[in-house]
């Protein structure tokens, strides 16, 4: 039983207390059979007039119940001998269940039966979220017990409750676990009741408090300040770039630069739509760290992306005498050893890699800055791991070791309310401008039935000297099926276009193979590249102007936007064709519509959040913990603001209340917010 409670996160009495009902049943009343209407759950009392086991059309137990105002049938398709005894002719019983229109008048199938005349509860019966094998009555008893033991005293300053007209915690909790007779079930279930408002406020407040504390904690940490000096490496980088930075890039470079100069670790998220030019911003941050004699590390989610960063950054920085190393799973043992050594002895100034960077063997001599590209692709655990690595790698130990500065980059912008509630300990910089000369990608929705048209479009583009991607459908159930689809598609396209070189890249290839294929495409030796979603993030080939996505209806919105971002990187007009197969579900239709209607990453993110909810949107689902159980960021955004203000006030004036409140609401969850 304990394990089942644990699965629901219920360990201490205080956990049970805030495990709140999803709905209620009204068992406080008994109604007349004559007044009962089908389609509702009813509670009736009366006498069994007759009962029998029928054998046709199948074996079943049927009884007739009457209370003088009418009669109904009770029916069991599965039953035990004691159930049969419960409804023997002449017995007086109380029954409960959903009344429906049966073949011979009203009936209840599988009613709950107890003896008649028992006392009626004087509150609504709560129904709790539960887990397999844990029945409602057991859970109810445990919660009732906890309500007697737990400390329900107030965790908010009285003044705050008064000014926001919030009921007390004890009052709200008691009401929600056992609403009195006559209370409107609707306002309770829709969570508009003041008691619910109090609970949501509490939850959001706890979140704001722990974020503020995390921020305080970080500011109390030490980092090596990496001040800017324009005359040095940073200035030379600016002078040597083949393009002029956009003013948005200049602004965020400045923001990051200021952070790096501080004596506590930077914790900044750089968000900018696909193609907005985040990589060069990362180069500036790295240059500033390197100019100060520190190492910088960049971690990317895929080999292809890490390799591309390596190329690009090496292009910019090697001519300025920066020593760039790279570390991925694809290196030979010898190369790997050399890279590890260069990182450990400090020879390598910039280290670029995949998850391989956070493996145990990797040591850094003087790590000053960690950059995480496409941070949403990393799990919470990996982000924490990198933090720990930095701590160990800072080249000193003791009570308060130096921590590296941290820059995360993402093309999936986080809407404001979300950033406020989940990333309050993250400064955000936004690139809201694309480099000049780009024309927006034209998106076309084309039914699978018009495949011929799509093929001729590909042909035309390639004849005109441009390149194209062909993205194979996602097959969620099976990776090998997905691979098979990619291989088949490649064969089909190679057959359809004998005059073209058609390449294929997929997740099962070795990193070296992938690299060779991407090289061919980048150099223009391949005109059409068939790919699985391995090309989803970051790949940058400006001459590729056409993207075909098959079975676009199977992809998520953020994923489609990322994929589309692979084209429109050069100066030519780019086209993205979303092929779909009907009939479309409502959600799929909305997604495709969003893609068709807008190219704006922020708008896409907003709609994506709306469709999927914050947990999944932020990729936190795998953590198994819902971040907010009761409050809803969209509909409760007013409460979010109140909670934010209250948090600031409480931290300043009511430290004891803060501690009590966090103990009640946040036990064991703080780590999640700090990642
Ligand atoms: P993302 O933000 O999606 O990571 P990238 O950093 O890959 O974008 O940049 C996309 C392309 O734009 C790259 O080829 C990059 O070199 C180029 N680029 C970046 N900044 C500018 C600029 N200010 N002017 C022209 N091209 C730029
Ligand atoms: Mg990028």
């Amino acid at each position: 039983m304990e394990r089942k409670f644990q699965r629901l996160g219920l360990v201490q009495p205080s956990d049970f207390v805030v495990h709140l009902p999803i709905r209620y049943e009204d068992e406080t009343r008994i109604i007349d059979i004559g007044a009962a209407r089908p389609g509702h759950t009813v509670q009736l009392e009366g006498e069994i007039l007759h009962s029998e086991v029928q054998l046709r059309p199948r074996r079943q137990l049927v009884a007739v119940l009457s209370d003088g105002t009418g009669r109904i049938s009770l029916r069991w398709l599965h039953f035990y001998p004691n159930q049969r005894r419960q409804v023997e002719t002449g017995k007086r019983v109380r029954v409960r269940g959903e009344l429906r229109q049966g073949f011979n008048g009203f009936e209840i199938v599988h009613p709950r039966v107890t003896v008649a005349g028992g006392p009626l509860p004087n509150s609504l019966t709560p129904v709790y979220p539960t887990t397999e094998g844990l029945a409602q009555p057991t859970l109810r008893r445990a919660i009732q017990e906890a309500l007697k033991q737990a400390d329900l005293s107030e965790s908010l300053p009285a003044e705050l409750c008064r000014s926001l007209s919030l009921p007390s915690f004890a009052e709200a909790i008691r009401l929600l676990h056992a609403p009195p007779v006559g209370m409107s079930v609707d306002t309770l279930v829709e969570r508009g009741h003041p008691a619910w408002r109090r609970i949501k406020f509490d939850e959001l407040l706890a979140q704001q408090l722990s974020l503020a504390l995390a921020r305080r904690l970080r500011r109390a940490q030490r980092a090596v300040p990496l001040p800017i000096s324009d005359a040095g490496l940073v200035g030379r980088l600016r002078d040597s770039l083949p393009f002029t930075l956009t003013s948005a890039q200049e602004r965020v470079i400045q923001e990051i630069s200021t952070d790096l100069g501080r004596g506590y670790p930077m914790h900044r998220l750089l968000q900018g739509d696909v193609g907005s030019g985040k990589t060069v911003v990362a180069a500036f941050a790295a240059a500033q760290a390197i100019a100060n004699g520190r190492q910088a590390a960049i971690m990317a989610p895929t080999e292809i992306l890490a390799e591309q960063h390596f190329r690009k950054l090496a292009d910019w920085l090697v001519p300025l005498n920066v020593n760039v190393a790279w570390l991925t799973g694809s290196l030979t043992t010898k190369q790997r050893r050399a890279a590890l050594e260069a990182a450990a002895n400090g020879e390598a100034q910039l280290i670029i890699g995949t998850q391989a960077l956070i493996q145990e063997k990797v040591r850094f001599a003087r790590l000053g800055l960690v950059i995480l590209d496409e941070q949403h692709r990393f799990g919470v655990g990996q982000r924490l791991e990198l933090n720990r690595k930095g701590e160990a790698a800072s080249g000193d130990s003791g009570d308060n070791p130096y921590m590296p500065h941290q820059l995360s980059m993402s093309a999936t912008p986080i809407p404001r309310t979300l950033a406020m509630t989940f990333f309050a300990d993250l400064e955000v910089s936004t690139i809201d401008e694309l480099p000049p000369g780009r024309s927006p990608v034209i998106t076309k929705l084309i039914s699978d039935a018009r495949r011929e048209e799509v093929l001729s479009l590909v042909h035309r583009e390639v004849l005109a000297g441009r390149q194209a991607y062909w993205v194979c459908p996602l097959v969620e159930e099976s990776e090998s099926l997905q691979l098979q689809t990619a291989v088949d598609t490649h064969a089909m396209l190679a057959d359809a276009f004998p005059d073209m070189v058609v390449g294929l890249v997929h997740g099962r290839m070795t990193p070296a193979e992938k690299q060779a294929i991407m090289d061919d495409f980048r150099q223009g030796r391949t005109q059409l590249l068939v790919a699985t979603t391995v090309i989803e993030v970051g790949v940058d080939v400006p001459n590729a102007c056409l993207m075909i996505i098959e079975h676009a209806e199977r992809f998520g919105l953020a994923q489609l936007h990322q994929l589309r971002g692979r084209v429109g990187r050069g100066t030519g007009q780019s086209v993205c064709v979303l092929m779909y197969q009907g009939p479309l579900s409502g959600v799929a239709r909305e997604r495709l519509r969003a893609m068709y209607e807008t190219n704006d990453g922020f708008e896409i993110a907003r709609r994506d959040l709306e469709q999927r909810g914050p947990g999944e949107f932020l990729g936190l689902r795998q953590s198994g913990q819902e971040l907010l159980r009761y409050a809803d960021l969209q509909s409760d955004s007013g409460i979010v603001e109140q909670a934010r203000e209250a948090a600031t006030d409480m931290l300043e004036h009511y430290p004891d209340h803060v501690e009590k409140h966090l103990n009640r609401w946040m036990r064991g969850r703080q780590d999640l917010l700090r990642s």
Side-chain angles (χ1 to χ4, degrees), residues 275 278-279 305 308-309 373-374 409 411 537-539 566 569:
K278 295 183 288 294
T279 317
L305 198 53
Q308 184 179 281
H309 280 339
D373 193 17
E374 307 292 348
M409 306 199 286
V537 289
V539 173
R566 297 314 106 213
R569 304 196 145 231

Side-chain angles (χ1 to χ4, degrees), residues 28-300:
T28 62
R29 291 178 300 155
I30 288 177
I31 58 169
D32 288 344
I33 292 178
R37 291 287 156 265
H40 294 276
T41 296
V42 295
Q43 188 163 250
L44 313 166
E45 247 180 44
E47 185 184 336
I48 300 291
L49 295 184
H50 172 75
S51 84
E52 65 173 335
V53 175
Q54 294 179 352
L55 295 174
R56 276 163 214 283
R58 52 176 291 187
R59 193 176 131 85
Q60 52 184 306
L61 171 61
V62 179
V64 176
L65 177 78
S66 160
D67 68 354
T69 69
R71 59 177 63 183
I72 63 158
S73 309
L74 309 174
R75 209 141 61 83
W76 286 263
L77 301 173
H78 314 277
F79 55 95
Y80 297 103
N82 65 333
Q83 279 172 309
R84 216 182 139 177
R85 279 193 297 276
Q86 260 187 326
V87 291
E88 275 165 1
T89 307
K91 291 222 160 153
R92 288 194 51 80
V93 292
R94 177 181 296 172
V95 303
R96 181 177 172 78
E98 189 182 321
L99 191 68
R100 51 181 228 184
Q101 180 68 56
F103 199 67
N104 296 313
F106 295 162
E107 65 173 17
I108 300 179
V109 177
H110 292 170
R112 208 171 77 207
V113 179
T114 47
V115 285
L120 286 168
N122 51 16
S123 59
L124 301 177
T125 308
V127 178
Y128 295 102
T130 185
T131 181
E132 211 184 309
L134 185 59
Q136 288 292 331
T138 315
L139 193 51
R140 266 178 217 139
R141 267 196 305 279
I143 289 172
Q144 282 308 321
E145 200 47 43
L147 279 169
K148 286 183 211 145
Q149 291 171 18
D151 172 14
L152 300 184
S153 61
E154 194 46 69
S155 63
L156 300 185
E159 206 175 307
L160 184 65
C161 284
R162 212 172 314 119
S163 71
L164 296 176
S165 311
L166 293 171
S168 75
F169 178 72
E171 216 177 314
I173 281 291
R174 291 227 165 83
L175 183 127
L176 293 176
H177 283 296
V181 182
M183 180 112 209
S184 150
V185 177
D186 287 349
T187 57
L188 283 178
V189 170
E190 280 153 29
R191 303 192 172 176
H193 192 276
W196 268 121
R197 201 159 60 81
R198 165 68 203 247
I199 296 301
K200 293 177 189 179
F201 178 82
D202 271 21
E203 184 176 45
L204 289 164
L205 176 68
Q207 195 177 37
Q208 292 299 322
L209 286 172
S210 58
L211 286 165
L213 286 176
R215 175 192 302 238
R216 244 189 218 183
L217 220 66
R218 176 166 62 87
R219 298 217 163 160
Q221 286 175 337
R222 293 188 300 163
V224 177
L226 309 169
I228 182 96
S229 73
D230 263 327
L233 186 58
V234 176
R236 281 188 287 140
L237 174 60
R238 178 173 277 116
D239 294 341
S240 68
L241 280 182
F243 47 76
T244 314
L245 295 171
T246 62
S247 57
Q249 283 170 321
E250 291 283 8
R251 174 171 44 76
V252 301
I253 288 173
Q254 182 57 48
E255 287 164 1
I256 293 165
S257 173
T258 310
D259 279 5
L260 288 175
R262 298 208 165 100
Y264 59 84
M266 166 171 82
H267 206 176
R268 189 171 278 276
L269 173 69
L270 170 60
Q271 53 182 32
D273 210 347
V274 284
S276 61
K278 295 183 288 294
T279 317
V280 71
V281 175
F284 274 86
Q288 189 168 332
I290 294 165
N292 280 279
R294 291 273 146 179
Q295 292 171 300
I298 300 184
M299 183 157 108

Side-chain angles (χ1 to χ4, degrees), residues 478-542:
S478 148
E479 202 192 333
S480 60
L481 210 60
Q482 173 151 341
L483 181 66
Q484 191 54 48
T485 313
V487 170
D488 291 348
T489 308
H490 175 252
M492 184 276 286
L493 289 170
D495 201 44
F497 302 122
D499 51 343
M500 257 183 234
V501 186
V502 185
L504 170 65
V505 62
H506 58 70
R508 286 278 185 89
M509 291 175 157
T510 67
E513 285 170 327
K514 275 189 238 169
Q515 233 173 79
I517 304 273
M518 289 313 294
D519 257 355
D520 283 343
F521 191 60
R522 203 174 284 123
Q523 311 286 336
R525 288 190 291 268
T526 311
Q527 284 93 47
L528 176 60
L529 183 63
V530 179
T532 54
T533 47
V534 293
I535 58 151
E536 179 192 343
V537 289
V539 173
D540 184 32
V541 179

